[in-house]
Amino acid sequence: MKKRLWWIFGPALCAGLIVLGLVVVPVHFSTVKSHSLATAAVSLKKNVLVGERLKDEAVQRDYVPFMGSSELSRLDAFHPSVLAQKYHRPYQTLLLGGPGTQSLVQYADNQSLLQQLRGRKVVFIISPQWFTPQGQQPDAFAYYYSPLQTTRWLLGKRGGLADRYAARRLLQMGNTKGGVHQALMNVAAGQPVQGLLRTRLQISLQILQNEEGLFGRHTSAKNQAKIMQSAAKLPFKDNQHQLATLARNMGAQATNGNQFGIRNHFFDKRLGGDKLSDLKGAQAKFDYRRSPEYSDFQLLLTAFAKNHVQVQFVIPPVNQKWATYTGLRSGMMTQTVAKIKTQLHQQGFMHVLDLSRDGNQPYFMEDTIHLGWRGWLKVDQTVKPFLEQRQAPPQYRLNDQYFTKTWQQKLIH
């Protein structure tokens, strides 16, 4: 009878033990191949952002993180990834972001990467549109939520105002459960993560790391193909005059079907027909001057400073013709940008490319809020020397006032 039971249940038991071993015991996975890493770095896939292995390996091979949101997906011929690949720059781009990836997502999903970036460089595109009265949208955060990165963060040395603020914000997003939720409650209350709870998180982290190693490598090659197609349109040599002429010509051809200087395909699909009339004056009450996003942004600044990361910030404009049509107030936008720059400059973040006044330039924007042909080219004129030349070590001066509601609600004139 025992033999019969063994032949019935034994194989299943052995298989279960093998699977359990694969997910619980530390597993060494082979290095990601160069071609696969290049594809993953520009794929903008969620598994790359919420994971850690592909990002960490990319940085170790001198890829430069370009962090932002949906503008990173506009892979026209003058996009940083295209220019870097076409002209064999000494850096390649690691694109991290997507629709809805605001400061809190970037902070929570890049915990392992932020440690790898110590003393390195980053390009960060900070959009004024993030700074709504609500700040980070919970549904977008839920989509990009990374149990792996959150668990890693909780197992670090936690303490201080920044950590308590981060824990409270993560709890407000409403995606945590089990041991992670309890640990966040501890950190938010200024209590340590220790004992059995810490052991549970350590086991969970190992399982999540093994799962990523087994299943997290797969990415799409679609963006890599787009980059190659776009690169083929560029002149053979990296010549600024030729690139500027080509950017103007390509922009003119792509936006000749509407009065806003918006790419024709985008306009026809998103704004054509009756949609346009419904949007006239629709943004007149938009206000980005008061938002919890300013304190979420401070989490990233704190992490950058503590790891001595050199950051080139880019503040993109909005399409001025579109802003006028929708009633978006220029004075409000000016004050929003001034507040962002104040928070940066007063803490020693001096590499800030402010493009907020360039939204009226032809072919600068691809659509209503995203950089286009001449816009990306102007970004490159600052980003290229920042990345290729040695920069003076930053002198950061963090100030906890930027975590307060007083700062979130403060107006800068």
Side-chain angles (χ1 to χ4, degrees):
M1 178 62 69
K2 290 182 179 179
K3 289 184 178 181
R4 187 175 301 172
L5 290 172
W6 169 252
W7 284 113
I8 294 173
F9 298 108
L13 178 62
C14 290
L17 290 173
I18 291 172
V19 172
L20 181 64
L22 283 174
V23 296
V24 175
V25 178
V27 179
H28 175 73
F29 297 97
S30 61
T31 302
V32 181
K33 294 181 179 179
S34 296
H35 173 74
S36 299
L37 190 60
T39 299
V42 296
S43 68
L44 288 169
K45 288 298 182 182
K46 185 177 75 168
N47 66 301
V48 177
L49 177 62
V50 304
E52 61 180 26
R53 189 156 177 268
L54 291 169
K55 292 185 295 189
D56 292 353
E57 287 207 28
V59 169
Q60 290 168 13
R61 299 188 210 179
D62 295 326
Y63 281 73
V64 176
F66 279 64
M67 305 169 78
S69 51
S70 54
E71 69 282 329
L72 294 174
S73 66
R74 270 53 180 183
L75 295 166
D76 68 37
F78 307 94
H79 187 282
S81 299
V82 179
L83 294 173
Q85 184 167 310
K86 172 70 176 185
Y87 298 119
H88 306 288
R89 303 266 175 89
Y91 60 88
Q92 293 298 313
T93 61
L94 171 61
L95 304 181
L96 299 174
T101 56
Q102 298 172 206
S103 302
L104 191 61
V105 171
Q106 292 286 3
Y107 177 79
D109 283 1
N110 285 305
Q111 284 302 305
S112 63
L113 179 67
L114 288 166
Q115 298 172 31
Q116 295 286 338
L117 288 174
R118 188 171 185 83
R120 296 176 182 264
K121 295 177 179 178
V122 165
V123 177
F124 196 98
I125 303 174
I126 177 74
S127 297
Q129 292 79 19
W130 295 359
F131 295 83
T132 62
Q134 182 183 13
Q136 175 69 61
Q137 292 289 332
D139 55 347
F141 185 89
Y143 178 74
Y144 294 107
Y145 172 62
S146 173
L148 169 60
Q149 297 289 341
T150 304
T151 303
R152 176 174 290 283
W153 180 77
L154 287 166
L155 287 169
K157 187 178 180 181
R158 303 272 68 89
L161 179 60
D163 289 334
R164 294 197 301 274
Y165 174 84
R168 289 196 299 269
R169 288 292 283 151
L170 293 174
L171 288 167
Q172 287 171 5
M173 293 297 106
N175 303 287
T176 58
K177 55 185 178 181
V180 168
H181 184 84
Q182 181 58 55
L184 285 171
M185 294 284 286
N186 284 16
V187 174
Q191 300 298 318
V193 178
Q194 57 188 7
L196 181 59
L197 177 58
R198 187 173 188 83
T199 301
R200 287 172 58 193
L201 291 178
Q202 290 171 334
I203 294 172
S204 178
L205 178 63
Q206 187 60 65
I207 293 173
L208 291 166
Q209 287 177 315
N210 288 355
E211 287 179 349
E212 187 198 14
L214 289 168
F215 311 114
R217 292 191 183 193
H218 304 292
T219 59
S220 169
K222 182 173 66 174
N223 281 356
Q224 184 66 277
K226 287 182 180 179
I227 289 171
M228 294 178 67
Q229 292 171 3
S230 295
K233 301 173 184 177
L234 295 176
F236 181 73
K237 291 186 176 181
D238 188 352
N239 181 285
Q240 284 298 307
H241 177 72
Q242 292 181 359
L243 287 170
T245 301
L246 181 61
R248 182 176 288 273
N249 292 340
M250 292 178 69
Q253 183 177 7
T255 61
N256 59 10
N258 62 86
Q259 70 270 37
F260 298 105
I262 293 173
R263 184 186 285 274
N264 294 328
H265 177 73
F266 179 94
F267 184 87
D268 294 341
K269 183 178 181 180
R270 303 280 292 274
L271 304 173
D274 296 335
K275 300 174 186 176
L276 184 61
S277 60
D278 293 339
L279 293 170
K280 186 174 179 62
Q283 296 182 333
K285 295 183 179 180
F286 282 19
D287 197 331
Y288 307 133
R289 296 172 297 176
R290 300 180 179 92
S291 174
E293 186 70 28
Y294 290 99
S295 295
D296 292 352
F297 186 42
Q298 184 63 21
L299 287 173
L300 278 168
L301 300 186
T302 301
F304 287 145
K306 288 184 175 179
N307 290 290
H308 306 284
V309 182
Q310 298 186 42
V311 191
Q312 175 65 63
F313 290 94
V314 178
I315 304 176
V318 296
N319 182 315
Q320 187 56 55
K321 291 181 179 179
W322 181 253
T324 300
Y325 182 81
T326 59
L328 189 67
R329 292 167 293 153
S330 60
M332 179 276 296
M333 292 297 295
T334 299
Q335 291 179 24
T336 299
V337 172
K339 187 171 179 177
I340 295 170
K341 290 169 67 176
T342 295
Q343 187 169 341
L344 290 168
H345 289 160
Q346 289 192 354
Q347 298 181 97
F349 293 91
M350 307 311 294
H351 294 283
V352 183
L353 176 60
D354 179 8
L355 302 176
S356 62
R357 297 183 182 274
D358 289 326
N360 61 347
Q361 298 295 316
Y363 322 124
F364 203 89
M365 307 298 290
E366 177 177 301
D367 50 47
T368 58
I369 59 173
H370 296 116
L371 291 166
W373 309 268
R374 295 181 64 214
W376 280 127
L377 201 55
K378 189 164 183 178
V379 169
D380 186 63
Q381 292 168 5
T382 294
V383 166
K384 181 175 182 288
F386 171 79
L387 295 178
E388 292 184 348
Q389 299 171 14
R390 184 183 296 273
Q391 306 297 326
Q395 302 296 320
Y396 295 131
R397 306 173 298 276
L398 292 175
N399 190 331
D400 284 346
Q401 71 158 321
Y402 297 111
F403 287 117
T404 66
K405 288 187 177 180
T406 299
W407 174 251
Q408 293 173 19
Q409 299 299 314
K410 185 179 179 65
L411 294 180
I412 299 293
H413 297 287

